[in-house]
Amino acid sequence: MQWVKVLGVVVGAAALLAVGIILGHYAISKGADSTASSISASQDLDLEILETVMGQLDASRIRENLRELSREPHLSSTPRDEALVQLLLQRWQDEESGLDLAKTFKYEVLLSLPSEEQPNSVTVVGPTGDILFSCRQSEENLTGEQAGPDVVPPYAAYAPPGTPQGLLVYANQGSEDDFEELQTQGISLEGTIALTRYGGVGRGDKAVNAAKHGVAGVLVYTDPGDINDGQSLPNQTFPYSWGLPPSGVERGSYFQYFGDPLTPYLPANPSSFRLDPANATGFPPIPTQPIGFEDAKVLLCNLQGNSAPATWQGALGCEYRLGPGFRSDGDFPADSQVNVSVYNRLELRNASNVVGIIRGAVEPDRYVFYGNHRDSWVHGAVDPSSGTAVLLEVTRALGTLLKKGTWRPRRSVIFGSWGAEEFGLIGSTEFTEELFSKLQERTVAYINVDISVFANVSFRGQGTPPVQSVIFTAAKQISAPGHSNLSIYDNWIRYYNRSSPVYGVIPRMGTLAAGSDYAPFIHFLGISSMDLAYTYDRSKTSARIYPTYHTAFDTFGYVENFVDPGFSSHQAVARMVGNVLLRLSDSLFLPLNITDYSETLHSFLQAAQEDFGDLLQQNGISLEPLVTAVDKFQGAAADLDEQISELQKGTPDPLQVRMINDQLMLLERSFLNPQAFPEERYYSHVLWAPLTSSITTFPGLAIAYSTAMNTDPGSAAWAEVQRQLSIVVAAVEAAAATLRPVADL
């Protein structure tokens, strides 16, 4: 009965293809595209169109886009944010350079905002209740752009209101280990205020870890040793260099999950069920407030107690001590305390996504997504407006060709301007929740460009293994800014490289965690995703990110003078995005290299064998099933890759192309298991979930192993190791099955 199965598959797939072509035919406006009648099912990437788009992407236009986007602060849901919604709609509906369709998706989401009536404050209070010192409540107005009613003062979004007061301790980066070190040194943390620095762990984790140890309130600052290469004087920092000024304060969301806090796994529509805010999880448990390093210096350099470990020292010009409390020979009486007064409020606000669509000519039901968030903490010239400026230029170039009737993609291209990202990837997450089934069934890949240019030295690519090849292909075709004789690929490999057992020395791709809007696409939907940007040379700076990140100093002038004078790196990112997007949308066979996943799986397996193998064996747990599964995957991937190569030599049947492309598209979904990390919201991808272990391997297995390694054989912890191993084996075997011939179960 094998022929019956094959016939059923062929007939069903042919019907799907026919429906797709019919939908594509009627979806295209006849007056808008004179080439529609000549499009065939064999439409492939047009290299002339590709070169035309590369030539049309203009640095000066990107510059003007950025000037307009960052002209005013545009915190999510504010009038200026809504004005930018209208700007995007206007551009994407333009008669000469617009898209087929542009619309908004609005959600009612829970945001955390500081009180206008009662500003948050941090003060040193003397023994008699006198206020001896007050930290700044706003940043210094250095360029005339850091003041005004639309500049939100520094605050920790979602930190609860409260006014804790206690002795100050220094807790380094606020990790669990940091607080345990303080206790090891005999410091009682109950009722204290912990001063921490950014880095090491997530913002919200600092408050969670502190609360576990009885800390009453948390302060967070950016140490100049972590962001400015030690420079901290006013004349060494912005506006004289790209360094963070002493009064600069990093704002940010301290919510530990992503998406709207009250509607997990549901779109935040007015009719949706909402949790009671009092019962919602993921908020910091204690009041928390960020401050600038000029104020942190006053507090930290007056602490008494033991000297902090060498790795805890920073660049404030004094010896960092642990506390608790101030020294008697300092600026404050020894028994002075620190008061942290937080008056944040929770409020339901409307947040908007703007979505633009270019309908595909042959496969309109296959989507290539390109997204960037729109909202910022203040002016947001780098984050995110550098990305939005590039997005607008790419859509202008493509829209112009579309309106002239000289191009229409094979597959549909969907552009997303996401709202409320800064509060926890809210707009993109709500969108994926609302359209979960459609997006998971139809989306080929997701391209994310959040910050398009951190600095102007080298390209930076992050993504899942299948997208590595298409990124490399594009990078080899485009000249590196300032290096006419070097491609982006050649320049990239000079700064960030690795040795691959398959390819030799190649540029190093980063992995995707949850730092931007790709997170719901990869972790929740299982869509092959990437994040593209230009960045700096990490061997020349200790900065963990560009210095004015999330401050009021992230302005157009900052970008033009220090980040990317001439905007050539912005243009390079635009060309990379346009090139990758066209290859994904127009290539007959999807340019997703599945064999690159074999290298990743083998690397993960080898790490597990080397670091876990002996102890696993002692506890009766064998890695052999995983070895077999990885071998199956490698064989299936190689076979499918060979089949594609053979078909590319001839004129393949459209049905064959469709079936193979669906295998390539659906591979990433095979690695999803909603039960793998039940305590982690939205994380379903068994390979790319957050990894707390230092060993780069399967995250669930690594986390379970680290918990079990000091427990007795037969414990529940070792049972969890076995469960996580089984989850990984099942996922890899499912992935291998996805790549085998469709009629072969």
Side-chain angles (χ1 to χ4, degrees):
M1 298 296 289
Q2 187 68 22
W3 64 272
V4 175
K5 295 180 183 178
V6 174
L7 180 61
V9 170
V10 170
V11 170
L16 283 172
L17 181 64
V19 169
I21 293 174
I22 291 170
L23 285 173
H25 175 75
Y26 286 106
I28 299 169
S29 169
K30 300 303 179 289
D33 190 349
S34 61
T35 67
S37 60
S38 64
I39 290 172
S40 73
S42 62
Q43 177 184 337
D44 205 346
L45 177 68
D46 186 328
L47 294 179
E48 289 187 10
I49 292 291
L50 186 64
E51 287 297 330
T52 298
V53 172
M54 296 299 97
Q56 287 186 355
L57 296 169
D58 187 348
S60 64
R61 289 179 181 271
I62 297 172
R63 178 182 181 275
E64 291 310 308
N65 286 342
L66 184 63
R67 183 195 294 276
E68 176 59 25
L69 291 165
S70 61
R71 182 164 52 85
E72 299 175 33
H74 46 286
L75 189 71
S76 177
S77 79
T78 60
R80 178 59 181 172
D81 181 38
E82 288 304 308
L84 294 184
V85 168
Q86 297 305 314
L87 183 149
L88 279 148
L89 287 173
Q90 177 187 353
R91 297 281 187 95
W92 290 353
Q93 293 170 347
D94 186 86
E95 292 184 359
E96 295 183 352
S97 61
L99 313 177
D100 288 325
L101 177 67
K103 60 185 295 188
T104 59
F105 289 76
K106 290 184 180 290
Y107 301 101
E108 191 176 38
V109 301
L110 187 73
L111 301 185
S112 168
L113 301 166
S115 170
E116 295 180 4
E117 296 77 23
Q118 288 183 292
N120 297 348
S121 65
V122 177
T123 57
V124 176
V125 181
T128 61
D130 296 338
I131 294 178
L132 306 178
F133 173 76
S134 296
C135 293
R136 298 184 66 100
Q137 293 177 305
S138 61
E139 291 152 307
E140 187 176 359
N141 191 10
L142 296 177
T143 64
E145 300 163 290
Q146 289 75 45
D150 296 329
V151 175
V152 67
Y155 76 112
Y158 298 106
T163 57
Q165 182 170 308
L167 296 176
L168 185 69
V169 297
Y170 170 53
N172 191 31
Q173 295 177 329
S175 69
E176 182 68 30
D177 289 343
D178 291 338
F179 285 106
E180 289 178 358
E181 172 65 22
L182 292 177
Q183 290 190 319
T184 298
Q185 298 221 20
I187 296 173
S188 173
L189 296 173
E190 190 68 33
T192 60
I193 304 298
L195 175 62
T196 65
R197 59 206 270 184
Y198 276 115
V201 298
R203 300 184 193 99
D205 291 331
K206 299 177 191 296
V208 170
N209 295 334
K212 289 178 183 177
H213 293 272
V215 172
V218 173
L219 301 176
V220 191
Y221 81 100
T222 301
D223 197 279
D226 299 330
I227 204 75
N228 283 352
D229 297 313
Q231 294 188 326
S232 60
L233 299 177
N235 64 356
Q236 296 175 321
T237 59
F238 183 76
Y240 302 101
S241 78
W242 86 322
L244 177 68
S247 68
V249 184
E250 178 183 322
R251 300 151 179 80
S253 173
Y254 284 64
F255 181 53
Q256 289 197 288
Y257 302 122
F258 52 88
D260 173 50
L262 301 186
T263 59
Y265 297 103
L266 295 171
N269 296 321
S271 61
S272 290
F273 169 78
R274 281 175 169 75
L275 299 171
D276 184 329
N279 298 327
T281 58
F283 298 144
I286 53 179
T288 304
Q289 176 68 17
I291 61 174
F293 68 74
E294 68 175 356
D295 289 328
K297 179 176 182 177
V298 174
L299 301 177
L300 188 48
C301 292
N302 277 288
L303 277 181
Q304 66 174 352
N306 296 337
S307 177
T311 55
W312 292 29
Q313 298 295 326
L316 291 179
C318 65
E319 182 181 21
Y320 292 14
R321 295 186 174 274
L322 301 177
F326 299 111
R327 66 178 194 271
S328 58
D329 61 344
D331 295 337
F332 312 118
D335 48 358
S336 298
Q337 297 185 337
V338 171
N339 178 275
V340 180
S341 294
V342 174
Y343 302 102
N344 298 343
R345 68 182 190 277
L346 296 173
E347 186 175 329
L348 285 175
R349 290 280 192 96
N350 288 324
S352 299
N353 296 332
V354 187
V355 174
I357 301 172
I358 299 177
R359 298 186 183 94
V362 181
E363 299 180 84
D365 61 335
R366 290 294 178 263
Y367 309 150
V368 177
F369 263 89
Y370 166 27
N372 155 263
H373 78 91
R374 182 186 61 257
D375 64 303
S376 67
W377 285 111
V378 194
H379 296 87
V382 178
D383 182 12
S385 298
S386 66
T388 310
V390 166
L391 173 67
L392 287 172
E393 178 60 3
V394 171
T395 54
R396 182 201 65 81
L398 295 177
T400 299
L401 293 178
L402 180 73
K403 294 300 184 182
K404 288 180 177 178
T406 56
W407 168 81
R408 179 171 291 280
R410 178 184 179 88
R411 302 174 186 90
S412 293
V413 180
I414 302 180
F415 305 94
S417 171
W418 312 121
E421 186 269 0
E422 295 293 8
F423 288 86
L425 319 182
I426 290 178
S428 57
T429 302
E430 300 313 301
F431 184 78
T432 57
E433 289 171 333
E434 181 171 14
L435 300 175
F436 178 88
S437 295
K438 178 179 283 190
L439 299 181
Q440 195 173 55
E441 291 168 1
R442 302 180 181 184
T443 304
V444 167
Y446 176 75
I447 303 167
N448 192 72
V449 180
D450 184 333
I451 297 170
S452 70
V453 180
F454 293 84
N456 59 357
V457 173
S458 170
F459 183 73
R460 186 202 75 177
Q462 298 174 309
T464 54
V467 305
Q468 174 180 273
S469 177
V470 69
I471 293 174
F472 284 179
T473 300
K476 290 175 181 177
Q477 186 180 356
I478 302 167
S479 295
H483 302 279
S484 58
N485 60 332
L486 286 178
S487 68
I488 285 178
Y489 181 93
D490 294 330
N491 187 61
W492 182 8
I493 208 170
R494 295 166 62 198
Y495 293 96
Y496 301 97
N497 59 68
R498 69 179 181 90
S499 180
S500 163
V502 179
Y503 304 109
V505 178
I506 58 174
R508 186 173 74 245
M509 287 276 294
T511 58
L512 299 176
S516 192
D517 292 297
Y518 50 74
F521 285 88
I522 179 59
H523 296 300
F524 186 41
L525 297 182
I527 291 166
S528 293
S529 300
M530 69 190 80
D531 186 78
L532 309 180
Y534 238 76
T535 190
Y536 43 85
D537 181 357
R538 290 191 179 274
S539 70
K540 299 254 179 96
T541 177
S542 62
R544 60 183 180 84
I545 198 168
Y546 73 95
T548 65
Y549 174 67
H550 286 189
T551 74
F553 305 108
D554 182 358
T555 62
F556 176 79
Y558 180 77
V559 174
E560 185 168 54
N561 292 321
F562 302 110
V563 175
D564 187 25
F567 286 79
S568 59
S569 294
H570 284 77
Q571 182 183 44
V573 173
R575 287 173 171 167
M576 282 293 299
V577 172
N579 198 303
V580 170
L581 187 150
L582 283 170
R583 291 178 184 279
L584 287 166
S585 66
D586 284 9
S587 296
L588 181 61
F589 286 98
L590 288 173
L592 299 175
N593 191 343
I594 52 170
T595 60
D596 284 340
Y597 243 130
S598 296
E599 183 181 344
T600 298
L601 292 173
H602 272 288
S603 173
F604 281 17
L605 173 61
Q606 183 177 359
Q609 289 172 320
E610 292 176 354
D611 291 277
F612 306 156
D614 291 344
L615 194 53
L616 289 176
Q617 190 172 14
Q618 292 174 25
N619 284 270
I621 299 173
S622 173
L623 287 173
E624 281 307 307
L626 183 55
V627 172
T628 301
V630 171
D631 287 343
K632 285 181 181 177
F633 179 91
Q634 183 175 11
D639 289 346
L640 183 57
D641 192 55
E642 183 178 350
Q643 183 184 0
I644 294 171
S645 296
E646 287 299 317
L647 289 172
Q648 286 176 325
K649 295 176 183 177
T651 305
D653 182 272
L655 178 58
Q656 289 179 300
V657 175
R658 176 73 169 204
M659 288 191 295
I660 286 175
N661 280 341
D662 280 356
Q663 289 175 276
L664 300 176
M665 177 184 74
L666 295 173
L667 170 63
E668 206 80 63
R669 321 288 200 271
S670 305
F671 293 109
L672 297 184
N673 187 325
Q675 299 305 312
F677 312 99
E679 72 287 351
E680 297 285 353
R681 195 177 293 176
Y682 297 108
Y683 288 108
S684 299
H685 203 298
V686 303
L687 301 183
W688 305 119
L691 181 63
T692 56
S693 168
S694 60
I695 300 165
T696 305
T697 186
F698 306 99
L701 179 63
I703 294 167
Y705 177 88
S706 65
T707 302
M709 59 188 298
N710 295 318
T711 66
D712 295 331
S715 68
W718 282 112
E720 176 62 13
V721 172
Q722 183 68 69
R723 188 181 82 91
Q724 288 293 340
L725 177 59
S726 297
I727 286 172
V728 172
V729 170
V732 176
E733 288 186 336
T738 298
L739 300 181
R740 287 195 291 269
V742 294
D744 177 12
L745 291 179

